[in-house]
Amino acid sequence: MKKAVLFWSAGKDSAIALHRLKQNPQVEIMGLVTTLNSDFKRISMHGIAEKVLDRQAEQLGFPVIKMWVSNQPDNYSYEEVFLKTCSQLVEMGVDTLVFGDIFLEDLRIYREDLAARAGLKTYFPLWKSSSIELQKELSDGRFEAITCCVQSDKLGKDWLGKQLNSDFFRKLPHGIDPFGENGEFHTFCYNGPVFRNLITYETGEVVFKPLQIKQTDRAEEAGFLYLDII
């Protein structure tokens, strides 16, 4: 029996991973871990406010361990916080860390190595699942999610706040991974079989966070567009 915690991002991948965990009799879910930006009090990458995470956690019925990192931390700082959090998890009796990654080999190896340093195992319930399989699971499970963040040089502002449904997947531009596995977009999941009740929300302003990406001999401004979920 695995005594596991799931790294919860507030989005679709986490929700499907949790759904699969709950159906696995060999897993005891001890709680969730969420990485938050200590400068903005928001979930890293997804930009979801801490208070919205708390509303999710209440409807999920699991405690959330909040892992606070600085804005754009270096690897050393991130790993220091990660390993400190793992020490807390070991004290709780946790032996397995669960992640919702689908196919990024380098990221999986990095997570496995970090977990091993903390004396913990890893589990990837979505690993190598096809986008067709995952889309079917979203639809059949009646999960509801919207895009809350998009990479500006991949998808434009019009893609924010979009419901993840068959129309969304059909209209995605060529070259965009259907599940945003390369970071093209992130989502906020507000309904589905893992929640006790639907999470009510409103949408607020759109914020652009620029990055400088070097392309050939010129620097092109790119970054992420965030839709505030209230």
Side-chain angles (χ1 to χ4, degrees), residues 204-225:
E205 64 178 339
V206 174
V207 176
F208 176 65
K209 297 292 184 184
L211 295 172
Q212 288 294 322
I213 297 177
K214 193 76 173 178
Q215 294 186 341
T216 62
D217 59 347
R218 63 191 179 90
E220 179 176 314
E221 187 176 61
F224 294 93
L225 288 158

Side-chain angles (χ1 to χ4, degrees), residues 65-111:
I65 295 91
K66 297 174 181 177
M67 192 172 84
W68 294 98
V69 298
S70 61
N71 190 37
Q72 297 182 343
D74 57 58
N75 277 356
Y76 176 80
S77 300
Y78 173 81
E79 291 172 9
E80 186 177 35
V81 175
F82 183 94
L83 293 172
K84 183 177 179 180
T85 302
C86 286
S87 295
Q88 179 184 348
L89 296 174
V90 170
E91 290 178 3
M92 291 168 50
V94 172
D95 58 34
T96 303
L97 306 181
V98 182
F99 301 95
D101 302 303
I102 302 170
F103 63 73
L104 296 177
E105 296 278 358
D106 289 349
L107 183 56
R108 174 169 178 158
I109 291 169
Y110 178 68
R111 297 198 198 282

Side-chain angles (χ1 to χ4, degrees), residues 27-179:
V27 176
E28 179 184 352
I29 306 168
M30 307 285 285
L32 311 171
V33 176
T34 299
T35 305
L36 292 107
N37 184 311
S38 58
D39 296 345
F40 299 105
K41 303 296 187 289
R42 292 177 179 272
I43 298 175
S44 296
M45 293 309 301
H46 287 62
I48 301 296
E50 181 185 9
K51 61 185 179 182
V52 178
L53 168 65
D54 291 340
R55 297 213 306 266
Q56 277 189 325
E58 182 180 355
Q59 297 305 327
L60 291 168
F62 293 105
V64 177
I65 295 91
K66 297 174 181 177
M67 192 172 84
W68 294 98
V69 298
S70 61
N71 190 37
Q72 297 182 343
D74 57 58
N75 277 356
Y76 176 80
S77 300
Y78 173 81
E79 291 172 9
E80 186 177 35
V81 175
F82 183 94
L83 293 172
K84 183 177 179 180
T85 302
C86 286
S87 295
Q88 179 184 348
L89 296 174
V90 170
E91 290 178 3
M92 291 168 50
V94 172
D95 58 34
T96 303
L97 306 181
V98 182
F99 301 95
D101 302 303
I102 302 170
F103 63 73
L104 296 177
E105 296 278 358
D106 289 349
L107 183 56
R108 174 169 178 158
I109 291 169
Y110 178 68
R111 297 198 198 282
E112 288 174 335
D113 288 347
L114 265 184
R117 284 168 59 185
L120 293 165
K121 301 172 186 175
T122 55
Y123 180 44
F124 298 81
L126 306 188
W127 192 249
K128 298 300 183 184
S129 296
S130 70
S131 61
I132 293 174
E133 178 185 358
L134 292 170
Q135 288 172 38
K136 187 176 187 302
E137 200 161 344
L138 272 178
S139 175
D140 291 352
R142 297 185 179 179
F143 288 94
E144 293 184 84
I146 63 168
T147 51
C148 58
C149 171
V150 298
Q151 196 172 332
S152 63
D153 57 337
K154 303 290 185 183
L155 296 169
K157 185 177 179 180
D158 290 345
W159 284 89
L160 282 171
K162 292 289 188 183
Q163 295 285 337
L164 263 69
N165 52 30
S166 58
D167 190 53
F168 172 87
F169 292 115
R170 186 175 65 254
K171 291 182 177 178
L172 274 177
H174 178 72
I176 302 298
D177 180 77
F179 257 59

Side-chain angles (χ1 to χ4, degrees), residues 10-11 48 52 56 144-146 148 186-190 199 201 229:
I48 301 296
V52 178
Q56 277 189 325
E144 293 184 84
I146 63 168
C148 58
H186 299 288
T187 59
F188 166 66
C189 189
Y190 61 91
I199 298 164
Y201 71 92
I229 305 294

